[in-house]
Each structure stands twice: as C-alpha cells, then as structure tokens.
Amino acid sequence: MKVPVPAHIGSIVLVLPLLLAVLQTATAQKNGIQIYSLTVDSKVSSRFAHTVVTSRVVNRAEEAQEAIFEMELPKKAFITNFSMIIDGVTYPGNIKEKATAQKQYSEAVARGESAGLVKAIGRKMEQFQVSVSVAPAAKVTFELVYEELLKRHLGVYELLLKVRPQQVVKHLQMDIHIFEPQGISFLETESSFMTNELADALTVSQNKTKAHILFKPTLSQQQKSPGQQDTVLDGNFIVRYDVNRTLSGGSIQIENGYFVHYFAPEGLPTMPKNVVFVIDKSGSMSGRKIQQTREALIKILSDLGPKDQFNLITFSSEVTQWKPQLVPASTENVDEAKRYAAGIYALGGTNINEAMLTAVRRLKSDNQAELLSEGSVSLIILLTDGDPTVGETNPRKIQKNVQEAIDGQYSLFCLGFGFDVSYAFLEKMALDNGGLARRIYEDSDSALQLQDFYQEVANPLLTTVAFQYPSNAVEEVTQDNFRLLFKGSEMVVAGKLRDKSPDVLSAIVKGKMHKQNVTFQTKSSVAKQEEEFQSPKYIFHNFMERLWAYLTIQQQLEQMVSASEAESQVLKDRALNLSLEYNFVTPLTSMVVTKPEGQEQSQVAEKPVEDDNRHRNINTGYDLSRYGIGLQGSRTTGIVSNSPQRFGARVADSTERLVQRGPPGDPFHFSHLQNMEDLVFSPPLLPSDPHKSLLHGTEIQNKGPVVTIAPPSAPIQAPPVLLTLPGPSMDRLCVNIKHSQEPMNLLSDPDQGIQVTGQYNTEKACFHWIEVTFKNPQVRVHASPEHVVVTRNRRNSAYKWKETLYSVLPGLKMTMNKTGLLMLSGPDKVTISLLSLDDPRKGLLLLLRDTDHFSSHVNGTLGQFYQDVLWETPEGADDNKRLLKVQGKDYSATRELKLDYQEGPPGKEISCWSVDV
C-alpha cells in the first residue's frame, strides 16, 4: 500500500536500495511454539538504516520444543548484534575474526551440526537462522540488529519489510522513523497484503524533515476469518521516499564529531555517450536467454539519446562487429540495429578475451579518427553467461589484457547471466576499469533486469569527480574521487572532524561536464548540524560514526578486489579492525552464537560472498532484494518454503476471476468469473438494473417497446467489450472489434491525463497487451498475459498476476487481488481495471468504472462512445435494430443476449446492443 503525503516543491526522486525484514512464525497449533510479540523498529537517519527485530515466543506444549528464529536481510547489510534471552539469562552473539571462529565452525560441521547461520538466498538477500530448545511454558526473546547505508538507485529510497507471521500475533508492530535534514519531499507506502480493514492499522505522518510509519494491526484485523488463527498478513510492506535537493555542492551533515557529504546535484544535463554493447551469443545462451537478451537490447536501443553513438559486438567462438565504426543513434541507425539484434542467435564457444579487445580497439580507433564527440563518455557493456572456452581462457590473463587495453580511458560494466559464469572474474574486470558488475538472474523478468541496469548508466552527468576539504578540518576521509556520476545515483563521502576543526566545514566538488570543468561549493555549520541530530526518537546513538565505519569497510572490501597483493593486505587489516571495533559481521568476521548448556554450542554466523551461489539452482522470483524475520516450530515443518514468495503471484490453475459489480463508487464489490472466453469492458451498473433478461422468449423491459427474443440455438457468449453507456438509461453496448490496428488507441482523455492503448487479435477476439499511461503522476502500466510491469521514473516493477497489491501514489491508487484483478483509480478519475484470463491464449480483460469522470475530449475506439451518441430506429426495422450516430459515423446495432460476468459465474444473461467497429 502506498499512502501519499504532501510533497515539497523542488524534489528529485532518490533510490535507497531495498531494506527488507520478513516476519515469519510457526503456528501454535502444530508444535506449541507461539509467538506473542513481534516488533520491527527501523530508524533511518540520513540514509543510514538501523533495524532491530524482536521476537518473543512461548512454548505452550507439555514437552520441550525447538524454536527456530529465521530472518532474511540485505546482502549489503551488516549484522551488528544477536542475542537470546532464556529464563532471564542472555546468550549473546560474539563477533570474532573469521580465522578465530573457524575452529568452532569446523568442529560443529565435523559433529554433523548445522553450524552456518547465514546463507545467501535469492537475488540480494541473506538468510539468518538459529534454533534453540524451549522447555514447557518457557519464554524466549530473540533480538537481531543489522545496519546498512541505503544507496541511491534510479532515484528512489526504498525500505522494504516482508510480513508473513502465518499466525495471528497478539502484539505485532512495525515502527519506521525517517529523519532527513535535507527535507522529505515525497513519501509513499505499498503493500501486497493490505485490505481495507488492515489499512486502518496503518498510520503515516510527516513533517518537513521527519516521517513516522506505524503498522499495528489488531488480532481481528489479522484474522482471515473470525476465530481462526490463519492470518491475512502475507506479503511485502514497502516505504519509498525522496529528499529535497538543488543544483549545489550537496548536503553536509554532522553528528558527534563525524560528517557525511551527499552529492547528487539537481538539474545537470546528460552528457553524450559512446556505448559498445558486447553480447555473448555462444551456445549456452540458446533458448530463453538469447530471446530475453534480444528483447532487452531492442528496448535499450530505443532509449539511446540523439547525441549518443553506439555499436554492437557479438561473440561466440568468433567475434563480429555490426558496423566498422560507432554510429550516431539516429532513427535510421537504431531501427537497423534493432533488426540486427532481432536476428542474433546462439551457437558456438565463448571468446571473451577477443570480444573485449575488439571493443576497446573500436573505441580507440574511432577516438583517434576524431569520430567521437568532444566531452562524451565512453562505456563498454559486456553480457555473458559463461566462462571463457575459446582463445585466451585464463581469467587472470584476460583481466590483465583488458585493463592494459582500456588504460583508464573507458568504463567497463559486466553483466553475468545466470550462475554458470564466475562473478568474481567479471567483478574484478569491471572494478579494474572504473565500472561495476551485476548478476542477471534467469527468470521471466531477465529482460527487465537488463533494461533496469542500462537505465542506471544511461545518463552520465559528470566525470572525474573530486571532493576537497580543508586539511585542518577533517581526517580519515572515505573515497573522495569518483570516475562517473550517473543520473539517479548519489556520491557519498564521510570522515572525522579534527579536534580543533573550524566552526564551519566547507567543501569543494570538482568535475567535468561535457565540454567544461565545473566546481561546486558548499559549507555547513558544525554547531547547527550537531543540533539537528538531537531527537532520540529518530536518531540512534553515534549513528554517523557507524555510517562512516560501514562505508569505509564496504569501500575497502571493494578496493581489495582490484588491489595488488600488498595493498590488499593493508586494506584487509584495516577493514578487519573496523569490523571488530564496531561489531559488524563482514566477510572478514564471524559471529559465534552461544546457547544454554546441553545444546549444540558452536553455531557460527559468517557473511557469504557472491560467488558462493555459483552453480546453485536458485529460484529467485521477482524481487531484487528480500529480507526476513521469523520463527519456525520445527526443522521438519518449516515456515519458509524453498521457493521464496515472489513479488508477483503465480498464475493459478483456477479459471475464476473477479469482475467489479454493484453500485457506482463501490470499488471493492466483486463477483467471480468462471470459464471466461471473451473480454468484458464494463462500467458500473446502477443498483437497480432497468433491464430484465430471461431465457425462452421472456420479455426484456426497456425504455422502448417490449422486445421478444427467441431462444438461442447456441450457447450465449460474453462480448469482447461491454460498455455501459452514459445517460440515465444505463443501457449497454457490446462492441466487437473487427478491424485492429497495432497498437489501437482505445481511450484517450487529455483532461483526465489518461491514455489506454492495446494490441487486439481479431481472430482470437482478445487483447495481447494493454498499456495504461497516466500523466499525473507519470506512471505507465503495461499488462500482458504473463505479468504487469509498472514503470515510474525509469524504474520498472514487475508483478505476476494474482498477487494482492495495495499501492497509493499521489493521485493514483493501484490495487490487485488474488484473482488477478488490477484496478487503477484516483480522485475524480475513471477507474481502469485489467484482468489476465487463466489461459494466456485468451488474452486480457479490460473493465471501466466511474465513467462519468470522462471529459468531453475523450476519444479512441472505445472512448468515442462516451461522446454524444444519437440513437435512431431505421425505417421499417423492428425494435431489435438501432442506428448509432457517433462523431459523424453510423454504427448498426442489434439487440442480443450476452453473458455479463460482473456478478460472477456462471455469468448473468443480459440484453445489450451489439456493434461492430
């Protein structure tokens, strides 16, 4: 559920990568372990998130039971504390150097015990799990704390909690406090489980710099039905927000002797870029991978700017260049490149070395020939799904060859498709050359993952960015030189203030923008900033010092990848010391969890590394991140499935669907739809339907003469499109689309700021896809039989049908229930609903509500019928024939019996005027 709050003028959307906590418990009926309190307290102070998860359980059984505390957290987060309180005794987790804890870990493994507490699962999460035996009537309190500096991603800060208790909990509460001194310009919430009743348990409040989100459902609100322990809480709870920013040197914030400098200036123009796409088309890419790569590449080519230049290099055993040089991203060149991309097929080995060197030579040659525009940025984007098998196959030699060839002139971004490629190999090659690596997960949204990655690097704003501070003011500053700043990202520098630092901390940020050098200046009053961070409700103690330590460790771990052996050891020693000093579980440390005497003693939490997942068959779902908390009652009856819940629900076997019915303005009155063959396009009916329809020649009451209809000789079908006409009669029009355009303009209302387009197959009488575009807020919803993709601020969110969704943006609400009915509505807006039929061959269903909100400017194939419609009776025709005059066009209409699924299966027989368009 997204709940909008007033936005302040001058905002820009920022992205904080997902921070997610999952609430999971075992049912008390099965094993006696009951969770009676579950709380999540997240404090986000200046982008640094500190999350405390507390779970209290009691054993209601008459014998000892095993309780399992399980939680998922972001890979970028560091666990800082874990403890169990049993019978008043606290059993803490002790963080030690990894080598020190290794002996205990190895001994536990040798005994056959499950020693590892943390494992990587899904795309960007890690699962923490610990078990303990609980005596009858005994209580246990679990507490886990983790921290993360949330990173800006495609312009949005996002905090995600997964809620899945699997039983009602007497005291369930989520508290989220956000404090941003720059000012919160935008705040919304979204949920995949929210109902009207649960929405009352959510409170969102905000002022200029602070926000508080409280979710505290009662027992009755959690119950699926009265008296039952089954809960409706099962899904995601997301908070998104943004901060104010200007075209300046950024924001410097100071707390307790430490500072952080955020830099993402507003209003900078995008620099032209030169992009070489290096695409693996080896045999291992065959099938779905190459299909999704083609799909993504065609979409990415459409997003190239008019000042960009590009080329395509494909490789298997051999390397092929699309063009002998980079070409401008003109309409003609882009169209030709799309046709080339559509013809890429997979066959042969994998010659990564030659492909990469070809790309570098291409850029160097074109640059020497002065074919690249002055002040442009050159990027190489590599996509591969396997290790090198042809030509040079030694990863170290390939990395060395590529680094020597690039020589710091270009940035390299590596995308590893699936788990058959060495991520460590790609990561080092990217980091050696000023870029980054990303894993693309094999799933139905792989093409979207590729598109989203491209959007991250599509708009370079500055190059060679350097931060400068007075040497007498600061020390131990984190990385302060960066190669590129992209639109939607944010540069972060932190450090310590010297003991006798000036009262005002000043900073200079220099960089290159297209054809000129630019300098930004900013300053911050130490005393004023210290005063900003004095609210304990929103601030946790010494958070900025911990932010500095977190950022320092993360950067040093990353620098170790491309550093020399001697440099790497220095970085490792410092990162290790900071990890121990600040109690972080990092790849260099481990946490040993102590337990009561007599239980297994040597469970060790270690942070996994990315390549640990190599060659695993991991079901990733849609989420790029997923994190969780919870309890299980036993090892044999786990709460968490091996297949994680997805951001979109799967399409079930049932053919039931929901279709709105009932009085206008009632957006939650639905009935079932079964065995749907055709599309129903239907505004709401009045409470009393003026038409009565019975079979076998029964009369149908209309405002005109009585009409008698003979019994049909064939089963009554649902019309492709069903429209409720404007006016007091509320008559209905069944529209049969006979002449399809690609795409069709179904509805367009400039006053409403709504446009609906679609591709209709006249042979199958169904929509292949439908796209709804809103002007305010700027949102695009693209629905296909496979899934729904919502695009906002260049960021795609994919949802599978039949997942509940309750999302509110400023001016727009999106809801979807478990039958797959997606409703798009807003204040004084027409409500547009989309529904995917169970059989993808039957396409999509489109429904309209609140059509009285259409303006006089509505148009389109369907929209025209909401203009002035004149009805005439043709001379000599009976009462079953009419002539409709719509905007200068005449349509013959015949009164027919059709099925209306608005009131559920087996469908309601109605009389409507059938029209062909």
Side-chain angles (χ1 to χ4, degrees), residues 75 349 375 413 436 583 612 746 895:
K75 289 181 180 177
F413 298 89
L436 55 85
N583 224 49
D612 285 349
L746 300 174
R895 176 70 77 176

Coordinates of all heavy atoms in Angstrom, one line a residue, residues 75 349 375 413 436 583 612 746 895:
K75 N 22.1 -8.3 1.4 CA 23.5 -8.6 1.4 C 24.4 -7.5 1.8 O 25.5 -7.7 2.3 CB 23.8 -9.1 -0.1 CG 23.2 -10.5 -0.4 CD 23.6 -10.9 -1.8 CE 23.0 -12.3 -2.1 NZ 23.4 -12.7 -3.5
G349 N 31.4 -21.4 -29.1 CA 32.1 -21.3 -27.8 C 32.0 -19.9 -27.3 O 31.2 -19.0 -27.7
G375 N 34.0 15.7 -25.3 CA 33.3 15.7 -24.0 C 32.4 14.6 -23.8 O 31.6 14.6 -22.8
F413 N 31.3 -2.2 -17.8 CA 30.3 -2.8 -17.0 C 30.0 -4.2 -17.4 O 29.8 -4.5 -18.6 CB 29.0 -1.9 -17.1 CG 29.2 -0.5 -16.6 CD1 29.7 0.5 -17.5 CD2 29.0 -0.2 -15.3 CE1 29.9 1.8 -17.1 CE2 29.3 1.1 -14.9 CZ 29.7 2.1 -15.7
L436 N 31.3 -1.5 -12.8 CA 30.8 -2.5 -11.8 C 30.2 -3.7 -12.5 O 29.9 -3.7 -13.7 CB 29.7 -1.8 -10.9 CG 28.5 -1.1 -11.6 CD1 27.4 -2.1 -11.8 CD2 28.0 0.0 -10.7
N583 N 31.7 -4.0 15.7 CA 30.8 -5.2 15.9 C 30.0 -5.5 14.6 O 28.8 -5.7 14.7 CB 29.9 -5.0 17.1 CG 29.8 -6.2 18.0 OD1 30.9 -6.8 18.3 ND2 28.6 -6.7 18.3
D612 N 29.7 -17.7 -3.8 CA 29.2 -18.9 -3.1 C 28.0 -19.5 -3.8 O 27.7 -20.7 -3.6 CB 28.9 -18.5 -1.7 CG 30.2 -18.3 -0.8 OD1 31.2 -18.6 -1.3 OD2 30.0 -17.8 0.3
L746 N -7.4 2.9 -27.6 CA -8.7 2.5 -27.1 C -9.4 3.7 -26.4 O -10.6 3.9 -26.6 CB -8.5 1.4 -26.1 CG -7.9 0.1 -26.6 CD1 -7.6 -0.9 -25.5 CD2 -8.8 -0.5 -27.7
R895 N -30.0 -5.9 -31.0 CA -30.2 -6.3 -29.6 C -30.0 -7.8 -29.5 O -30.5 -8.6 -30.3 CB -31.6 -6.0 -29.2 CG -32.0 -6.5 -27.8 CD -31.3 -5.7 -26.7 NE -31.9 -4.4 -26.5 CZ -31.5 -3.6 -25.5 NH1 -30.5 -4.0 -24.7 NH2 -32.1 -2.4 -25.4

